[in-house]
Amino acid sequence: METLMAIIIGILFTIGVYLVLSKSLLRIIFGTSVIAHGTHLLIITMGGLKTGGPPLLDGRAVSYTDPLPQALILTAIVINFATTAFLLVLAYRAYSALGTENMDHLRGINDNE
Amino acid sequence: MSWLYLIILIPFLYAVIVPLIFKHIPQIHTGWFVLPIPVLLFMYLAKYVTFVAMDSPFIHSVPWIPSLGINYATYVDGLALIFGLIVTGIGALVILYSIYYLSKEREALGNFYVYLLLFMGAMLGVVFSDNIIVLYMFWELTSISSFLLIAYWYQRKSSRYGAQKALLITIFGGFAMLAGLLMLANITDTFSIREMILRADKTTAHPLFLQSMVLLLLGAFTKSAQFPFHIWLPDAMEAPTPISAYLHSATMVKAGIYLIARFTPIFGGSMEWFWLVSGVGMITLFWGSFSAVKQVDLKAMLAFSTIGQLGMIICLLGLGSAAMYYGPVKEAALCIPAILAALFHLVNHSTFKGCLFMVVGIIDYETGTRDIRRLGGLMGLMPVTFTLAVIGSFSMAGLPPFNGFLSKELFFTGVLNASRLDIFRMETWGMLFPVVAWIASIFTFIYCMVFVFRTFAGDYQPQKLEKINNEPAWGMLLPPAVLASLVILFFFFPSLLAQYLLMPAVASVLPGFVEASLGIGPIEAWHGWTPELIMTIGVVVVGMILFANYHKWSRFYGYIPVWFTLNFAYDSLLVKTEKTFEKITRGYMTGFIRDYLLYIFAFFVVVLAGVILMLNSFAFNPDVNNVSMYEVVLVFVMVVAALMVLLSRHRLVAIISLGIMGYLVAMFFVIFRAPDLALTQLVVETVTTVLFLLCFYFLPDLKNKIGEIGFKAANMAVALGFGLIVTVIALSAQSNRLFETISWFFENSYELAGAKNIVNAILVDFRGFDTMLEILVLCIAGIGVYTLIKLRLDSRKVSSKNR
């Protein structure tokens, strides 16, 4: 299962990076989301999969899955949500103020001209 | 306890209050408040003369960074004392002179005196420091204060150009010197110069000996304006004249000489040191004197003359270093006069050149020009200034009864003795030294005559002068007069100087030689019809003839093409470097975010792939867990959804596919025994999808026709590489367990935190602070979102500001 996960994480990263490198702002945001999903899966795979029961002390399980990656991912999900929301609003404002969301047109102004 | 280390600090401390004085007491010239500092320091240092003459050097050490072996150690011996007295003595005279030279109404005197005190402290630091790191720090500080003083009239383009040139060249040398010093410290295993001298025998055989020597000399040569680094000194003449007199003739440019003299006990006696130091010095002597003759600006003439005279001193130090080859035995007696001559001329040069610079300052101040084509016949207008000019330049030309005569005779003795050496291939090349020295002395004689007679004799041309005044105020005449009287005094009483200052200094350059009493004769004006005297007479006769026919042969200077000069090389190097790097920077700083991200991702791929290949750390163990059917289905759907996000032409499809991916991740969390994650992911994914749909309303549709093939191919290559690297890392990390898990600690969460849900306990208890900061990030993002939506800047204002 870990091998399969490693492969799918690679696929997710490939697609995410490709999206981030595109010119459209919306696609860049899609790309960050895809990379975030890949990262979460990567962290949980690194901790070892299905090594025990869920990390709840209800007396039923003898051993538990590693809880530490889960805590990390929980934080990551929330932070990712915050940045995605911010990026979306930024895209919306950039588009309404500048009339384009093509990154090629959103270059800075040349200082020397 | 010695107060010695305080004399270095006092100028720095006083520099702090100078701007306050300048601001609050504008009616009195700030210079009057600064003047007591060098005078007191000079008197304090003079107290050491008798002690040092009795050969008891002073040392005082304060630990500064003890863990690195860096001590703030001050050390006074004969060599350091000569420099200390010159720095404070000339400093006092220059400050007195500047009080009358710089107007208190028009000039930013606060800055001027702060820079000057900064320099004075730094220079004292250079000569009195025993620790090489401290020495280096003060050394660079002199470069910086010199830069600030050259650019004092920063409104002028030429001042800024000169300051930049001086800084670039001297700092380049400074860095080289630092590298050399560190190598030396590595060889001798100490940062103290005195310790290094004691362990000098270890250095010669070391493989880094030559490298450290060359690097150290680069520092000395750039600072002392030696060929081919001399080009900064003429441009440094844009500084106010008191500064030219102080930094660029009397003190700072002699720091290189100090360094060479100081390290002679370590490097001296080797053939490379002998030839590098004396050869470069000789070339500089010739080139400086030769170039000085053609100058029409009096200050430029003095600048080239300074270059030549510095070359002469350095050449003498090189020739004298051969004494270290013999050791303190009878054969070394041939070389010691050269060291004595170098130190004697060092003092003499400070007196007569300081005097001459001040004379030029007076001429400039009273007539408004320094161009000898416009000057002439000033003898009647300024008889006192004329007298001072005669004393200064005749001493420089090497005529009696001035101190320059004595040191020039000693210089001839030095080169004649050197030509008799039979080591270091001198038996073949030795005659070169007296010949070049003699020719250079003729040129020196000529420009001295040009200096005096073009300015003060000849036709008086009042129509070409901006203003015409008589003698200046006494305050401008007194400092050069003091120096001129020293010029004459040293001629009549050289043994006084020799006994108290020069011989102790020789003792520190060549340790152990003075005690051996090798029969160094006293400095005398008359020592019979020796070859030296005949050479001097030859210089005067040939010099007179050439000066009289100056107009016939001076045309020769016009034949040197512009592209052949070092200045041209420097300028084009600077311009070309700037242009090349601008081109390179503009090439990759495109302003297009995709390019920057491409560099970052490509860098990641290259570095990580390189590390994995180099360390051969790829590992792959087949799984322990079997894959069940529904997991395969989940993975399959996940890939399809991701591809949909990538390929879809419609925003709505892409957003929904993204949502599907999010829910699939939640499903994975369920399978992987992470119920909290699954719940959170479900909630967050729902909200995110709603957000996407909200923004969808405002954003344009996706255009699939973006970018050409090359663009996409590059993106694809980097993306594939990145994905592959992540997979490889995931597999390798999975297969290598480098350390045991630490998670058992958290499994006691009920005992430690009273919580049955371990993940929650970690978040709110074990790592509570992290969670708090996470909430802070959420708050910041929330404020950002709110501001972006609410903030309405006037669009016209924005566009005009950006343009």
Side-chain angles (χ1 to χ4, degrees), chain B residues 202-478:
Chain B
K202 265 210 288 187
T203 46
T204 326
H206 201 277
L208 283 177
F209 178 70
L210 192 62
Q211 283 91 322
S212 63
M213 175 200 294
V214 170
L215 288 170
L216 197 80
L217 283 178
L218 267 179
F221 288 163
T222 49
K223 198 76 163 180
S224 285
Q226 294 300 292
F227 189 88
F229 306 110
H230 64 277
I231 51 172
W232 69 267
L233 193 59
D235 285 303
M237 292 297 133
E238 291 299 329
T241 303
I243 293 310
S244 307
Y246 188 35
L247 268 72
H248 304 127
S249 84
T251 53
M252 189 188 87
V253 288
K254 297 209 169 91
I257 293 171
Y258 170 79
L259 197 76
I260 290 174
R262 183 54 93 203
F263 283 91
T264 296
I266 298 173
F267 291 114
S270 71
M271 184 167 154
E272 293 87 357
W273 177 266
F274 178 86
W275 274 104
L276 268 176
V277 176
S278 59
V280 168
M282 192 50 90
I283 293 169
T284 312
L285 166 61
F286 174 75
W287 188 250
S289 318
F290 176 73
S291 306
V293 176
K294 69 173 174 185
Q295 303 302 321
V296 288
D297 180 355
L298 285 178
K299 266 180 105 174
M301 184 184 281
L302 288 185
F304 276 105
S305 131
T306 304
I307 292 168
Q309 303 280 315
L310 293 171
M312 172 176 155
I313 299 173
I314 285 184
C315 174
L316 282 168
L317 284 175
L319 294 176
S321 73
M324 294 296 293
Y325 175 82
Y326 295 110
V329 289
K330 209 161 75 208
E331 284 82 10
L334 271 183
C335 309
I336 295 178
I339 299 283
L340 184 65
L343 295 166
F344 190 34
H345 197 67
L346 178 97
V347 177
N348 293 347
H349 179 253
S350 299
T351 55
F352 64 67
K353 191 54 70 63
C355 171
L356 285 178
F357 265 111
M358 289 177 187
V359 165
V360 171
I362 292 171
I363 294 169
D364 193 11
Y365 191 79
E366 301 297 342
T367 65
T369 182
R370 308 189 301 244
D371 192 333
I372 51 172
R373 288 167 302 191
R374 291 159 70 185
L375 292 165
L378 295 180
M379 201 193 294
L381 278 166
M382 313 177 181
V384 182
T385 313
F386 168 67
T387 314
L388 296 173
V390 166
I391 294 174
S393 40
F394 280 20
S395 174
M396 182 155 70
L399 297 176
F402 308 112
N403 58 3
F405 173 74
L406 297 178
S407 48
K408 179 139 297 182
E409 295 282 286
L410 263 177
F411 169 54
F412 284 148
T413 313
V415 289
L416 284 171
N417 282 352
S419 68
R420 296 216 299 271
L421 290 176
D422 50 2
I423 50 168
F424 301 153
R425 304 218 186 99
M426 281 299 277
E427 61 274 19
T428 323
W429 299 99
M431 269 324 280
L432 220 56
F433 282 97
V435 171
V436 178
W438 191 69
I439 295 173
S441 299
I442 292 173
F443 280 108
T444 308
F445 184 83
I446 295 171
Y447 70 70
C448 290
M449 296 304 116
V450 170
F451 182 87
V452 175
F453 293 107
R454 286 288 145 83
T455 317
F456 290 98
D459 300 326
Y460 178 47
Q461 304 160 308
Q463 72 282 359
K464 288 190 183 171
L465 303 178
E466 283 171 26
K467 50 188 175 182
I468 300 157
N469 287 316
N470 287 338
E471 293 288 358
W474 67 270
M476 274 175 97
L477 283 175
L478 183 67

Side-chain angles (χ1 to χ4, degrees), chain A residues 5 7 10 14-15 22-23 25 31 33 36 52 66 76 78 82 89-92 103 110:
Chain A
M5 286 312 291
I7 291 164
T14 306
I15 290 170
S22 66
K23 288 181 183 175
L25 193 48
S33 287
D66 196 341
V78 177
V89 178
L90 190 68
Y92 148 68
M103 295 315 293
N110 200 334

Side-chain angles (χ1 to χ4, degrees), chain A residues 50-74:
Chain A
K50 296 189 269 186
T51 50
L56 299 169
L57 302 173
D58 48 6
R60 270 181 285 169
V62 197
S63 68
Y64 306 103
T65 308
D66 196 341
L68 200 55
Q70 299 192 11
L72 293 176
I73 293 168
L74 203 59

